[in-house]
């Protein structure tokens, strides 16, 4: 049996920018072993597997080495494919049941908006592995249920950071989000995200990281609508709007590959 397979660059409107995700559409439950093998074969930061249900889509995300609980860019890529291929009319809401509960996405002009859980960081003591792995003393260190969250003193420090990924992989966390205020008036903040423990040293653009970035910077800057730039080599833009226990994330996406996976 063959399964439709797509690769989408998410949080960008340019090919070969943003964060690439694979989207595989299945019409029956597949084993975790099979999905993990496909994700390893794709060798992208995440591969999304989607199966249509009666009232929503079942959605799961895998890195090349592990399943994860929350992924923004692969969810954006999946919604983009559903609308682009006509599987879902553009005026209808995409509803996904996931390990992080129900997530939704809607079209808003040239952008797509996702409704995700808010994951604000709480102040934490920096482990020695974090200090050594980043090679600096952070301005602020926090932690949410998934990641360490670090504010740096400047955008220049953030952009020139060269982490020790082996040291960071020792942390008991999914990953590390680093951020600072932006020197570019087009953006409110900049960020980078590292996930060596799940096989991704640096993620190009991380939607789920903005579930922490949005409430943090909204409070710091006293703004409710913000624009973030993830300053990886590929780069990407995420617009955010925190709303209580939820966060709205806006992004764009472009399809770069359409094919069939032989099952």
């Amino acid at each position: 049996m063959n399964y439709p397979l797509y690769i989408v660059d998410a949080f960008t409107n340019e090919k070969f920018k943003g964060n690439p995700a694979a989207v595989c559409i299945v019409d029956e439950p597949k084993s975790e072993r099979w999905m993990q093998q496909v994700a390893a074969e794709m060798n992208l930061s995440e591969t999304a597997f989607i199966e249509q249900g009666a009232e929503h889509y079942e959605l799961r995300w895998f890195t090349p080495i592990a399943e994860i609980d929350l992924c923004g860019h692969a969810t954006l890529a999946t919604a983009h494919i559903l609308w682009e291929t006509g599987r879902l009319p553009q005026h209808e809401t995409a509803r996904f049941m996931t390990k992080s509960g129900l997530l939704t996405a809607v079209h808003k002009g040239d952008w797509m908006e996702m409704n995700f859980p808010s994951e604000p960081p709480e102040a934490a003591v920096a482990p020695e592995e974090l200090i050594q792995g980043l090679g600096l003393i952070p301005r602020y260190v926090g932690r949410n249920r998934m990641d360490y969250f670090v504010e740096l003193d400047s955008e220049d420090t953030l952009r020139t950071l060269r982490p020790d990924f082996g040291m960071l992989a020792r942390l008991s966390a999914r990953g590390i989000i680093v951020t600072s205020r932006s020197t570019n008036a087009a953006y409110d903040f900049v960020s980078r995200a590292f996930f060596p423990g799940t096989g991704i040293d640096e993620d190009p653009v991380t939607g789920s990281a903005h579930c922490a970035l949005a409430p943090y910077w909204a409070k710091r800057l006293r703004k409710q609508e913000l624009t973030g730039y993830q300053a990886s080599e590929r780069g990407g833009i995420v617009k955010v709007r925190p709303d209580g226990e939820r966060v709205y994330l806006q992004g764009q996406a472009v399809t770069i590959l359409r094919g069939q996976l032989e099952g």
Side-chain angles (χ1 to χ4, degrees):
M1 182 176 292
N2 295 337
Y3 303 98
L5 181 69
Y6 305 87
I7 295 179
V8 176
D9 288 340
F11 292 118
T12 183
N13 60 4
E14 298 180 59
K15 293 180 179 179
F16 315 122
K17 298 288 187 179
N19 198 353
V23 178
C24 182
I25 300 175
V26 299
D27 54 10
E28 59 185 4
K30 303 297 293 185
S31 70
E32 288 186 8
R33 181 174 182 272
W34 182 86
M35 289 186 284
Q36 189 63 74
Q37 288 176 322
V38 172
E41 188 77 7
M42 294 300 98
N43 200 32
L44 297 172
S45 54
E46 270 84 20
T47 296
F49 297 88
I50 184 170
E51 180 187 356
Q52 186 169 8
E55 298 181 355
H56 54 254
Y57 291 90
E58 299 288 339
L59 177 62
R60 297 174 73 173
W61 313 279
F62 287 77
T63 77
I65 65 171
E67 184 174 11
I68 60 171
D69 290 341
L70 186 63
C71 180
H73 85 281
T75 304
L76 189 72
T78 301
H80 168 76
I81 287 299
L82 290 177
W83 288 317
E84 185 178 70
T85 61
R87 288 179 170 85
L88 188 68
Q90 288 199 359
H91 66 273
E92 290 191 14
T93 299
R95 298 169 57 85
F96 304 112
M97 187 56 65
T98 75
K99 284 197 167 186
S100 290
L102 180 67
L103 307 178
T104 62
V106 296
H107 249 289
K108 283 202 167 185
D110 293 333
W111 294 72
M112 295 169 283
E113 182 177 78
M114 302 184 296
N115 183 332
F116 268 46
S118 180
E119 302 283 354
E122 296 185 0
V125 176
E128 189 62 27
E129 294 87 349
L130 182 65
I131 301 297
Q132 291 188 25
L134 295 178
L136 49 74
I137 303 297
R139 171 174 288 183
Y140 169 87
V141 176
R143 175 76 194 261
N144 62 18
R145 69 184 177 97
M146 298 179 292
D147 306 311
Y148 278 100
F149 184 100
V150 175
E151 184 186 351
L152 304 180
D153 60 358
S154 70
E155 181 172 339
D156 182 65
T157 299
L158 180 140
R159 287 181 176 272
T160 58
L161 192 63
R162 298 294 179 265
D164 180 339
F165 294 117
M167 185 63 70
L168 293 180
R170 300 180 187 180
L171 291 166
S172 58
R174 182 189 68 160
I176 304 92
I177 304 162
V178 297
T179 186
S180 76
R181 293 187 69 163
S182 176
T183 57
N184 186 330
Y187 311 115
D188 295 290
F189 60 88
V190 293
S191 65
R192 293 171 67 186
F194 313 117
F195 304 102
T198 57
I200 306 298
D201 284 347
E202 180 164 6
D203 196 37
V205 193
T206 314
S208 62
H210 288 74
C211 296
L213 290 160
Y216 181 81
W217 285 112
K219 184 176 181 180
R220 283 286 310 278
L221 301 179
R222 298 184 180 182
K223 294 179 66 175
Q224 284 306 109
E225 295 185 1
L226 306 97
T227 300
Y229 180 76
Q230 192 151 333
S232 64
E233 183 176 345
R234 294 173 64 102
I237 299 171
V238 186
K239 296 181 180 181
V240 299
R241 177 169 56 90
D243 184 12
E245 296 184 352
R246 307 298 294 181
V247 172
Y248 292 93
L249 310 175
Q250 286 194 16
Q252 297 173 298
V254 57
T255 304
I256 64 167
L257 184 147
R258 299 173 177 85
Q260 295 284 330
L261 174 69
E262 295 190 5

